[in-house]
Amino acid sequence: NTQKWVAWVKVIDASSASSTATNSSQTVDVNTLTAINVDSSITYDALDPNTNMSNLTKTTNATNTGNVPIDIQLKGDDMTYGATGTIAIANQRYATSSVVWASGNVASSTYQNFEVDLGKPTSNPSTSTDIIYWGWAVPTGTPAGAYTGTNYFNAVED
């Protein structure tokens, strides 16, 4: 609320005459935009049933592309393979560093708040980026196969 958009323009014609103008005395109200770009998919290494990654090592980069500081909400779908294979979403973990798998945040099928503190971008392209580290576990009795699922990222104002 204490910030405003200001434009300063300088024009020069073919004869090199110039003039400038600004709108610094005007208050321009810009709506809040919460937006995020996530750069890649997560490709997990193969694991045998009843094992998990020792550390969260797979990464995605989340970049604030809005105009306010943000945090993230995350949720996901169960991973599936064919008609019989399912790995519940709770077998994925995430964090802001490469921690031990058991210490990561448990992924859920409903949005969970995730504190990342991505600042308001001050340049274009945005440099307000954070790395999210991921890992997974394969439960006992899980059929072998290439499992796929979807994780969802939602930007929320910090």
Side-chain angles (χ1 to χ4, degrees):
N1 289 339
T2 61
Q3 297 178 330
K4 62 182 181 178
W5 288 85
V6 176
W8 180 84
V9 178
K10 180 177 182 178
V11 294
I12 303 171
D13 67 13
S15 302
S16 295
S18 66
S19 182
T20 62
T22 185
N23 72 332
S24 60
S25 63
Q26 299 172 334
T27 300
V28 178
D29 191 15
V30 177
N31 290 333
T32 297
L33 174 63
T34 56
I36 190 169
N37 181 54
V38 179
D39 71 346
S40 64
S41 61
I42 304 163
T43 303
Y44 290 123
D45 298 332
L47 291 176
D48 291 326
N50 198 32
T51 60
N52 59 265
M53 295 175 66
S54 56
N55 291 321
L56 308 183
T57 58
K58 299 301 177 178
T59 62
T60 56
N61 293 307
T63 302
N64 184 352
T65 56
N67 62 8
V68 294
I70 63 168
D71 282 322
I72 299 174
Q73 292 178 328
L74 294 171
K75 73 173 185 174
D77 297 333
D78 293 342
M79 292 183 280
T80 59
Y81 168 69
T84 60
T86 300
I87 298 175
I89 184 62
N91 287 288
Q92 287 189 78
R93 304 283 172 97
Y94 58 92
T96 56
S97 62
S98 182
V99 298
V100 174
W101 181 84
S103 299
N105 298 291
V106 178
S108 171
S109 61
T110 58
Y111 277 116
Q112 303 295 312
N113 293 328
F114 185 45
E115 187 78 22
V116 291
D117 293 326
L118 286 169
K120 178 177 76 171
T122 57
S123 63
N124 186 16
S126 173
T127 57
S128 181
T129 299
D130 205 349
I131 300 169
I132 302 172
Y133 293 82
W134 295 87
W136 76 316
V138 178
T140 300
T142 302
Y147 286 76
T148 60
T150 303
N151 292 330
Y152 304 89
F153 298 74
N154 185 39
V156 292
E157 190 171 359
D158 188 12

